[in-house]
PDB file of all heavy atoms in Angstrom:
ATOM      1  N   THR A  34     -18.741 -15.144  -6.504  1.00 98.00           N
ATOM      2  CA  THR A  34     -19.823 -14.369  -7.102  1.00 98.00           C
ATOM      3  C   THR A  34     -20.623 -13.622  -6.051  1.00 98.00           C
ATOM      4  O   THR A  34     -20.962 -12.400  -6.239  1.00 98.00           O
ATOM      5  CB  THR A  34     -20.826 -15.265  -7.876  1.00 98.00           C
ATOM      6  OG1 THR A  34     -20.101 -16.104  -8.846  1.00 98.00           O
ATOM      7  CG2 THR A  34     -21.855 -14.485  -8.593  1.00 98.00           C
ATOM      8  N   SER A  48     -11.966 -10.773  -7.758  1.00 98.00           N
ATOM      9  CA  SER A  48     -11.148 -12.041  -7.728  1.00 98.00           C
ATOM     10  C   SER A  48      -9.683 -11.732  -7.597  1.00 98.00           C
ATOM     11  O   SER A  48      -8.953 -12.434  -6.884  1.00 98.00           O
ATOM     12  CB  SER A  48     -11.451 -12.818  -9.036  1.00 98.00           C
ATOM     13  OG  SER A  48     -10.944 -14.106  -8.909  1.00 98.00           O
TER      14      SER A  48
ATOM     15  P    DC D   5     -27.836 -19.219 -15.578  1.00 85.92           P
ATOM     16  OP1  DC D   5     -28.941 -18.853 -14.723  1.00 85.92           O
ATOM     17  OP2  DC D   5     -27.320 -18.248 -16.630  1.00 85.92           O
ATOM     18  O5'  DC D   5     -26.580 -19.686 -14.718  1.00 85.92           O
ATOM     19  C5'  DC D   5     -26.686 -20.809 -13.925  1.00 85.92           C
ATOM     20  C4'  DC D   5     -25.417 -21.090 -13.212  1.00 85.92           C
ATOM     21  O4'  DC D   5     -24.472 -21.722 -14.138  1.00 85.92           O
ATOM     22  C3'  DC D   5     -24.751 -19.838 -12.701  1.00 85.92           C
ATOM     23  O3'  DC D   5     -24.434 -20.048 -11.345  1.00 85.92           O
ATOM     24  C2'  DC D   5     -23.467 -19.670 -13.580  1.00 85.92           C
ATOM     25  C1'  DC D   5     -23.225 -21.090 -13.938  1.00 85.92           C
ATOM     26  N1   DC D   5     -22.476 -21.350 -15.263  1.00 85.92           N
ATOM     27  C2   DC D   5     -21.406 -22.209 -15.248  1.00 85.92           C
ATOM     28  O2   DC D   5     -21.109 -22.809 -14.205  1.00 85.92           O
ATOM     29  N3   DC D   5     -20.759 -22.457 -16.406  1.00 85.92           N
ATOM     30  C4   DC D   5     -21.178 -21.860 -17.553  1.00 85.92           C
ATOM     31  N4   DC D   5     -20.515 -22.145 -18.685  1.00 85.92           N
ATOM     32  C5   DC D   5     -22.278 -20.970 -17.584  1.00 85.92           C
ATOM     33  C6   DC D   5     -22.921 -20.727 -16.396  1.00 85.92           C
ATOM     34  P    DT D   7     -17.838 -18.626  -7.688  1.00 85.92           P
ATOM     35  OP1  DT D   7     -17.415 -19.099  -6.408  1.00 85.92           O
ATOM     36  OP2  DT D   7     -18.596 -17.335  -7.862  1.00 85.92           O
ATOM     37  O5'  DT D   7     -16.601 -18.568  -8.673  1.00 85.92           O
ATOM     38  C5'  DT D   7     -15.837 -19.742  -8.748  1.00 85.92           C
ATOM     39  C4'  DT D   7     -14.801 -19.666  -9.825  1.00 85.92           C
ATOM     40  O4'  DT D   7     -15.451 -19.482 -11.156  1.00 85.92           O
ATOM     41  C3'  DT D   7     -13.862 -18.457  -9.747  1.00 85.92           C
ATOM     42  O3'  DT D   7     -12.695 -18.921  -9.085  1.00 85.92           O
ATOM     43  C2'  DT D   7     -13.594 -18.087 -11.218  1.00 85.92           C
ATOM     44  C1'  DT D   7     -14.405 -19.091 -12.006  1.00 85.92           C
ATOM     45  N1   DT D   7     -14.999 -18.536 -13.259  1.00 85.92           N
ATOM     46  C2   DT D   7     -14.557 -18.986 -14.410  1.00 85.92           C
ATOM     47  O2   DT D   7     -13.629 -19.802 -14.548  1.00 85.92           O
ATOM     48  N3   DT D   7     -15.179 -18.451 -15.572  1.00 85.92           N
ATOM     49  C4   DT D   7     -16.179 -17.540 -15.556  1.00 85.92           C
ATOM     50  O4   DT D   7     -16.650 -17.095 -16.599  1.00 85.92           O
ATOM     51  C5   DT D   7     -16.618 -17.131 -14.288  1.00 85.92           C
ATOM     52  C7   DT D   7     -17.774 -16.127 -14.130  1.00 85.92           C
ATOM     53  C6   DT D   7     -16.062 -17.637 -13.192  1.00 85.92           C
ATOM     54  P    DG D   8     -11.463 -17.900  -8.920  1.00 85.92           P
ATOM     55  OP1  DG D   8     -10.791 -18.400  -7.681  1.00 85.92           O
ATOM     56  OP2  DG D   8     -11.957 -16.538  -8.963  1.00 85.92           O
ATOM     57  O5'  DG D   8     -10.544 -18.173 -10.167  1.00 85.92           O
ATOM     58  C5'  DG D   8     -10.162 -19.548 -10.395  1.00 85.92           C
ATOM     59  C4'  DG D   8      -9.338 -19.595 -11.710  1.00 85.92           C
ATOM     60  O4'  DG D   8     -10.126 -19.261 -12.821  1.00 85.92           O
ATOM     61  C3'  DG D   8      -8.109 -18.684 -11.695  1.00 85.92           C
ATOM     62  O3'  DG D   8      -7.061 -19.372 -12.315  1.00 85.92           O
ATOM     63  C2'  DG D   8      -8.651 -17.486 -12.545  1.00 85.92           C
ATOM     64  C1'  DG D   8      -9.539 -18.194 -13.523  1.00 85.92           C
ATOM     65  N9   DG D   8     -10.603 -17.377 -14.063  1.00 85.92           N
ATOM     66  C8   DG D   8     -11.525 -16.563 -13.345  1.00 85.92           C
ATOM     67  N7   DG D   8     -12.428 -15.998 -14.074  1.00 85.92           N
ATOM     68  C5   DG D   8     -12.097 -16.415 -15.364  1.00 85.92           C
ATOM     69  C6   DG D   8     -12.732 -16.052 -16.585  1.00 85.92           C
ATOM     70  O6   DG D   8     -13.726 -15.333 -16.818  1.00 85.92           O
ATOM     71  N1   DG D   8     -12.167 -16.712 -17.714  1.00 85.92           N
ATOM     72  C2   DG D   8     -11.054 -17.555 -17.569  1.00 85.92           C
ATOM     73  N2   DG D   8     -10.593 -18.097 -18.698  1.00 85.92           N
ATOM     74  N3   DG D   8     -10.447 -17.866 -16.399  1.00 85.92           N
ATOM     75  C4   DG D   8     -11.036 -17.255 -15.359  1.00 85.92           C
TER      76       DG D   8
END
Side-chain angles (χ1 to χ4, degrees):
Chain A
T34 306
S48 192

